Amino acid sequence: DVKVTQSSRYLVKRTGEKVFLECVQDMDHENMFWYRQDPGLGLRLIYFSYDVKMKEKGDIPEGYSVSREKKERFSLILESTSTNQTSMYLCASSRQGAIWAGELFFGEGSRLTVL
Amino acid sequence: KQEVTQIPAALSVPEGENLVLNCSFTDSAIYNLQWFRQDPGKGLTSLLLIQSSQREQTSGRLNASLDKSSGRSTLYIAASQPGDSATYLCAFRGAGSYQLTFGKGTKLSVIP
């Protein structure tokens, strides 16, 4: 079975602090994604990566950056958190074929609260 | 812009009933459509993926269908159980797009 592991399930931070969310997948997938999920807004794509060191902006990249130094690992960085970044963050991965072809697998999510 | 709609937003049924969840999309140029389940506070679990060339996919008590001409997909759950209670989301991928567009989900409650 595909396993996507997010390092932190729950985090509480103060405004202005830096947050580093890590995601690791064990199925050698080429594509990795970061979403956030908010009540009433659904899932929104922040960034995705289709290869090591490659990244593409999604719908809401402002205030976020990402890093993909190894194929299995995709990190989401919030350099200076704000209260409007309180959310559930979900990492996902899929196999290449075409970037749009693969079945998407999600991690358990990281619930971030910014005070 | 692509829109994905799931109606109703919430559904409550007695245990044992067969039920259908609906997903509609506005763009006929579909590549595939994926159904997910999400339990409270958890990530999404993939249930079924239907490619644009397929009309349906089955997994156990679940059957997903795709009608491109009408812009609809349905998820059929047979003999529902309390353990099926969750939010079900559909996600549309358009031809030539890397992005999935998600519906807001249908929250299903199966009453024992």
Side-chain angles (χ1 to χ4, degrees), chain A residues 23-72:
Chain A
C23 175
V24 178
Q25 49 92 7
D26 66 359
M27 285 301 291
D28 202 35
H29 284 173
E30 292 81 5
N31 307 324
M32 297 188 75
F33 305 81
W34 275 106
Y35 290 86
R36 64 177 283 178
Q37 185 179 30
D38 301 286
L41 296 176
L43 277 89
R44 294 178 290 168
L45 181 64
I46 304 172
Y47 268 97
F48 76 99
S49 169
Y50 53 88
D51 200 353
V52 175
K53 297 192 185 296
M54 305 303 290
K55 61 184 179 184
E56 294 285 343
K57 294 180 180 179
D59 295 323
I60 52 163
E62 296 79 18
Y64 304 94
S65 62
V66 290
S67 172
R68 191 156 182 212
E69 296 298 317
K70 293 186 177 181
K71 189 176 184 180
E72 68 270 18

Side-chain angles (χ1 to χ4, degrees), chain A residues 9 33 35 37 40-43 45 48 57-59 88 90 98-109, chain B residues 1 31-32 34 36 38 41-49 51 89 93-94 96-100 102-104:
Chain A
R9 289 296 317 278
F33 305 81
Y35 290 86
Q37 185 179 30
L41 296 176
L43 277 89
L45 181 64
F48 76 99
K57 294 180 180 179
D59 295 323
M88 171 71 101
L90 293 163
I99 190 168
W100 46 83
E103 186 175 0
L104 205 61
F105 295 91
F106 280 85
E108 284 288 284
Chain B
K1 188 183 178 207
Y31 196 91
N32 59 37
Q34 192 168 355
F36 296 89
Q38 186 175 31
K42 299 289 185 66
L44 280 68
T45 300
S46 177
L47 297 174
L48 289 163
L49 173 71
Q51 302 292 351
L89 296 98
R93 191 186 309 271
S97 172
Y98 61 82
Q99 287 215 35
L100 283 178
F102 285 83
K104 292 197 168 59

Side-chain angles (χ1 to χ4, degrees), chain A residues 79-98:
Chain A
E79 288 287 347
S80 178
T81 52
S82 59
T83 54
N84 63 13
Q85 292 178 312
T86 292
S87 187
M88 171 71 101
Y89 290 88
L90 293 163
C91 176
S93 72
S94 69
R95 182 173 290 109
Q96 196 75 283

